[in-house]
Amino acid sequence: MSDNDSKLHGRVLCTYQSATTAMSQLNTMALAGYTGLAALVVGLISFAINWNVYGGGMTGYEILLFPGNLTLKYVWHPLFTDEINFWPKLVLHSLGQFSIVSLFAGLVVSLLRKLRLAHAS
């Protein structure tokens, strides 16, 4: 192993250790909440840029807002069959963006912690 490879390996190991330390210091709910909040902020910024700058054709918009669009299509649309106004739809979209990402992040963190405990045993 060359000197550069060992330095890279050391940096990766240090990054992994700092990430696991940070993950162990936060509880699962807080980490999931922060992740959901970050997804909500990214979603709102992406929505604003898509609406104001691109006029509805921003590349990657569907990927960034997939959780919110998923809830609009499969949760809220069947409940509200008539067309709803813009602001309530944006609130429902943001609620879906936050809740789906928070739920997924909580599940991933829980699984990683269980795997780490199983591996440590």
Side-chain angles (χ1 to χ4, degrees):
M1 188 182 303
S2 71
D3 190 40
N4 287 336
D5 289 341
S6 64
K7 286 181 183 178
L8 178 64
H9 184 266
R11 280 188 241 146
V12 168
L13 184 61
C14 181
T15 304
Y16 173 75
Q17 288 171 342
S18 62
T20 56
T21 302
M23 193 171 82
S24 66
Q25 291 175 351
L26 287 174
N27 66 12
T28 303
M29 294 298 287
L31 195 58
Y34 291 138
T35 306
L37 188 62
L40 176 63
V41 169
V42 167
L44 289 174
I45 290 171
S46 300
F47 180 82
I49 291 171
N50 183 49
W51 186 272
N52 294 316
V53 177
Y54 290 97
M58 186 172 96
T59 305
Y61 175 77
E62 294 84 14
I63 295 169
L64 290 172
L65 294 174
F66 179 73
N69 291 337
L70 189 70
T71 57
L72 274 181
K73 186 175 182 178
Y74 295 109
V75 176
W76 304 120
H77 180 70
L79 293 175
F80 304 112
T81 55
D82 295 334
E83 190 65 31
I84 60 174
N85 293 331
F86 172 77
W87 290 109
K89 188 179 264 188
L90 181 62
V91 168
L92 293 174
H93 185 274
S94 298
L95 179 66
Q97 183 84 3
F98 174 79
S99 60
I100 295 293
V101 171
S102 295
L103 179 67
F104 185 73
L107 289 172
V108 168
V109 169
S110 295
L111 285 172
L112 287 176
R113 286 190 176 160
K114 287 181 182 180
L115 287 173
R116 190 177 73 187
L117 288 174
H119 181 64
S121 300

